[in-house]
Amino acid sequence: MRGKAPTLLCLLFLVSFLLPPHLAAEQNQRYAAIFNFGDSLVDAGNLIQNGTPDFLATAKYPYGMTYFGKPTGRCSDGRLVIDFICQEFGLPLLPPSKAHNTTFKQGANFAITGATALETEFFEKLGLGKTVWNSGSLHTQIKWFQDLKPSLCGTPKECKELFSRSLFILGEFGGNDYNAPLFASRKFKEVYGMMPHVMKSISDGIEKLIAEGAVDIVVPGVLPVGCFPVYLSLSVSMFKIKKEGFGSRSGCMKKFNTLAWVHNSLLRQTIAQLRVKYPGARIIYADYYSAAIQFILHPEKFGFEKQIPRACCGAPGEGVYNFNMTAKCGELGATSCPDPSTHWSWDGIHLTEAAYGHIARGWLNGSFADPAIILTDSSSR
């Protein structure tokens, strides 16, 4: 029997080594539930749970065409980053938190399109009440989570135990906050002035979740908005960007990408401070920015066509970006490209399922995250 024990251990090691990545993740790192917060990048249908407004193009075909075969309220042709992460850990796709007649025992998705880090009152005081569409701010979503707790656990001890074994994803937040002054043609100085308030709101949100018992918390940064067709199509008429204001390789607007980069730098500093304050928590910075830049500079590595930033689903408008404010994806006059998997930009505002899949894998294995969501031998909770 002495000789068989080492042999058995070697076989077990070999089996675990040969497991597909998602099964390896399940074997080594199980989550009881996943709770997700955010905006339209991760909204799984909260905005349409009480009926679909006629004007809401994202609830119409071809949204959902790739994976679900129909619109689900997701602002993409298929799955989002959060969907891939759930599948990686062997959990069902998260139901929208506002869904009826469903169970949330394995998690819930509180994200909703239009969400901001800051409350509506903040924008109203700046005269931006008409340019922000806040359907559920970061702290409103955390309140929805707290309201849901009685259906998840019976006592404070049970809740903390459950949440310590769950994965929390908070964001991204900030993109819609900055959109409000940008689309109101405010000066960039005013946009930068909002950043400390956005950082404090995100930091307060992380601390609220830690107080509830969260241990593993993923906090994504914002995308390089200067590369997105919705902005690029307005680069001359609204934003008055001159030729030298575009990247020579990317074709993106430098000014806008710098804004996103500064936000992400400040967010990483905020996370670093919270890691010191809460050494028992594992706070992960998730990187949308680097992934999107890679899609543009090295598209062939991801199976994307080499082209200037261009929406897969849209209509000709200002410039060559296939984005038109009067004929957005899902609206009359817009069409979809034959194969969304060859594009990273879905509708000029959001990404394709293919792009989200690459990002999710980067968050899981660490190529687009610090540290990786999936624990390795060199990392621990």
Side-chain angles (χ1 to χ4, degrees):
M1 291 297 291
R2 283 187 198 140
K4 290 183 179 179
T7 303
L8 181 59
L9 286 172
C10 288
L11 284 171
L12 287 173
F13 175 80
L14 182 62
V15 168
S16 65
F17 181 77
L18 293 173
L19 280 172
H22 72 283
L23 291 180
E26 288 182 53
Q27 290 289 322
N28 300 320
Q29 186 178 352
R30 288 185 178 274
Y31 285 115
I34 297 178
F35 298 99
N36 184 71
F37 307 80
D39 58 14
S40 58
L41 295 182
V42 284
D43 182 356
N46 263 331
L47 195 63
I48 62 171
Q49 290 307 305
N50 295 316
T52 303
D54 291 336
F55 66 83
L56 192 64
T58 56
K60 300 174 182 177
Y61 201 80
Y63 284 89
M65 62 178 280
T66 297
Y67 185 79
F68 302 98
K70 63 179 181 180
T72 63
R74 289 169 172 80
C75 298
S76 182
D77 61 304
R79 289 166 291 179
L80 312 173
V81 170
I82 183 60
D83 297 319
F84 285 102
I85 290 174
C86 287
Q87 292 177 328
E88 181 74 21
F89 289 109
L91 291 170
L93 301 188
L94 298 182
S97 63
K98 293 181 175 293
H100 307 288
N101 302 317
T102 190
T103 177
F104 301 103
K105 292 294 185 183
Q106 291 181 289
N109 191 335
F110 301 92
I112 192 164
T113 299
T116 56
L118 303 171
E119 302 299 326
T120 302
E121 293 74 21
F122 179 91
F123 300 98
E124 290 175 342
K125 288 178 182 177
L126 296 176
L128 294 169
K130 292 182 179 179
T131 57
V132 68
W133 179 37
N134 191 349
S135 45
S137 70
L138 182 161
H139 294 282
T140 297
Q141 291 179 33
I142 291 178
K143 180 64 167 58
W144 293 343
F145 164 70
Q146 292 168 334
D147 291 343
L148 194 65
K149 279 170 60 178
S151 69
L152 302 173
C153 41
T155 66
K157 183 179 178 182
E158 282 182 11
C159 289
K160 283 196 177 281
E161 197 277 332
L162 169 63
F163 300 150
S164 71
R165 295 186 295 110
S166 299
L167 179 67
F168 288 78
I169 303 176
L170 190 71
E172 61 86 44
F173 284 103
N176 287 325
D177 298 79
Y178 306 137
N179 281 343
L182 287 173
F183 285 108
S185 299
R186 298 290 180 90
K187 292 181 178 180
F188 265 68
K189 182 179 179 181
E190 185 171 342
V191 185
Y192 278 106
M194 295 173 62
M195 283 191 181
H197 301 282
V198 171
M199 291 303 136
K200 185 177 188 310
S201 181
I202 294 172
S203 180
D204 289 347
I206 295 169
E207 292 196 275
K208 282 183 181 180
L209 294 180
I210 291 173
E212 293 288 351
V215 174
D216 284 15
I217 307 171
V218 178
V219 187
V222 297
L223 286 154
V225 293
C227 299
F228 279 70
V230 60
Y231 293 91
L232 288 165
S233 68
L234 300 170
S235 58
V236 177
S237 62
M238 176 178 279
F239 302 127
K240 313 299 181 188
I241 304 296
K242 299 185 183 301
K243 184 178 179 180
E244 59 271 19
F246 296 87
S248 58
R249 293 175 61 206
S250 67
C252 304
M253 293 186 288
K254 300 176 186 177
K255 194 175 181 180
F256 286 75
N257 279 1
T258 299
L259 177 77
W261 187 91
V262 172
H263 167 98
N264 291 339
S265 179
L266 291 174
L267 181 60
R268 295 191 78 149
Q269 292 175 34
T270 299
I271 290 171
Q273 292 165 0
L274 290 171
R275 285 171 178 161
V276 174
K277 187 174 180 180
Y278 300 100
R282 198 167 73 102
I283 308 173
I284 298 163
Y285 172 74
D287 192 352
Y288 272 121
Y289 188 103
S290 297
I293 292 294
Q294 289 296 309
F295 297 160
I296 296 162
L297 297 181
H298 306 288
E300 67 283 351
K301 291 183 179 180
F302 306 94
F304 299 141
E305 294 178 4
K306 188 169 183 60
Q307 58 184 355
I308 59 167
R310 191 175 187 277
C312 164
C313 182
E318 184 180 315
V320 291
Y321 310 107
N322 198 41
F323 184 88
N324 190 321
M325 278 289 191
T326 63
K328 298 185 293 295
C329 183
E331 295 178 341
L332 189 65
T335 57
S336 171
C337 62
D339 184 4
S341 70
T342 62
H343 287 61
W344 62 268
S345 175
W346 165 240
D347 57 5
I349 305 169
H350 309 95
L351 284 70
T352 59
E353 175 183 276
Y356 284 133
H358 290 299
I359 293 170
R361 285 185 284 276
W363 289 9
L364 289 160
N365 65 32
S367 56
F368 297 132
D370 177 27
I373 295 176
I374 293 179
L375 292 164
T376 62
D377 292 338
S378 60
S379 65
S380 59
R381 288 179 190 254

